Amino acid sequence: MAIPKDDSDITRLVISNGDLPGLVAAMIASEDTVRRDTVHAGHPVVWAGTAQGAKAAERQASSLGLRTIRRKPGVSAPSGSPDESLRTGEGANRLLMDAATAALSLRCPLVVWPVLPAGPASAEPALVELIAAAVSRATLVSRLVSLDAPMVGLPEIRIETPFVDLTDQQLADLACDLGVRFEECWWWSIDSSAASEERARWGPLLPVSA
């Protein structure tokens, strides 16, 4: 799929910090577009979620034929490790607000937030309260930003959390089914404690060594 040259008719904004859930969400968005009439169906874009994961997100998007949308100048990305910033607290609040506001400015009706809280074990989903908190955060930010949606001709800005109740094993299996390139994840070859934590989380579930 050719990379679009402009911001017209963007149908989906996929938040990614270059991690595995972001890569899977971007690949699904790309394949969904290919299956439709791409001349009339619009196109998805990848929105880099954190400063640390931006380069990996851009590489992933480029390999899938998708554009990457960057934060506007002066808007700071959440601090901390890329994956931590996508999942919890103030970092997640700012990330969702920035992404939803970007979607509003692009007249894009859908934001995909591939948040996946870690469960007690790879075959177990996250605690119910963590899942509920992520869904509530997405819903509240969606409602807030949607107050301005009619000004750009949209009924709302919807934020979806497609992976929030999956287990790590289920996400890894989905990634394998899609044939993702795991080495494109930000943590694959980085030497840091945060990267080591992600390799420890995902490495045993993948068919290749991280």
Side-chain angles (χ1 to χ4, degrees):
M1 183 175 64
I3 297 178
K5 299 297 184 181
D6 56 49
D7 294 337
S8 63
D9 202 19
I10 295 175
T11 56
R12 189 182 324 189
L13 186 148
V14 179
I15 299 174
S16 178
N17 66 335
D19 67 347
L20 186 57
L23 176 56
V24 171
M27 179 166 278
I28 290 173
S30 177
E31 292 194 351
D32 284 351
T33 302
V34 169
R35 282 195 291 266
R36 298 195 299 267
D37 179 359
T38 56
V39 174
H40 302 292
H43 57 270
V45 296
V46 171
W47 187 84
T50 64
Q52 292 185 18
K55 289 183 178 180
E58 289 176 348
R59 288 196 303 270
Q60 293 172 1
S62 178
S63 70
L64 295 170
L66 302 178
R67 281 188 60 206
T68 303
I69 300 294
R70 285 180 169 270
R71 273 178 160 83
K72 291 183 178 180
V75 178
S76 61
S79 58
S81 73
D83 299 285
E84 180 183 1
S85 296
L86 272 177
R87 289 194 291 259
T88 59
E90 181 183 354
N93 291 341
R94 285 193 290 144
L95 178 126
L96 283 182
M97 280 298 301
D98 289 349
T101 301
L104 183 69
S105 68
L106 295 167
R107 298 185 180 182
C108 171
L110 174 62
V111 173
V112 178
W113 183 30
V115 61
L116 179 60
S122 62
E124 298 179 42
L127 299 176
V128 172
E129 52 265 34
L130 294 179
I131 295 173
V135 172
S136 295
R137 181 172 281 113
T139 299
L140 291 172
V141 172
S142 173
R143 289 176 178 172
L144 178 60
V145 177
S146 291
L147 293 175
D148 293 326
M151 297 175 62
V152 297
L154 295 175
E156 64 176 348
I157 301 295
R158 193 167 79 257
I159 300 177
E160 292 185 349
T161 54
F163 306 148
V164 71
D165 58 352
L166 295 185
T167 67
D168 286 0
Q169 184 66 65
Q170 288 173 325
L171 194 282
D173 290 344
L174 177 57
C176 291
D177 291 342
L178 291 171
V180 305
R181 292 171 54 88
F182 301 104
E183 61 270 23
E184 291 183 349
C185 293
W186 74 267
W187 43 260
W188 186 264
S189 58
I190 299 295
D191 184 16
S192 71
S193 59
S196 295
E197 289 176 5
E198 289 302 303
R199 285 194 293 271
R201 179 182 181 182
W202 297 109
L205 308 179
L206 306 181
V208 291
S209 299

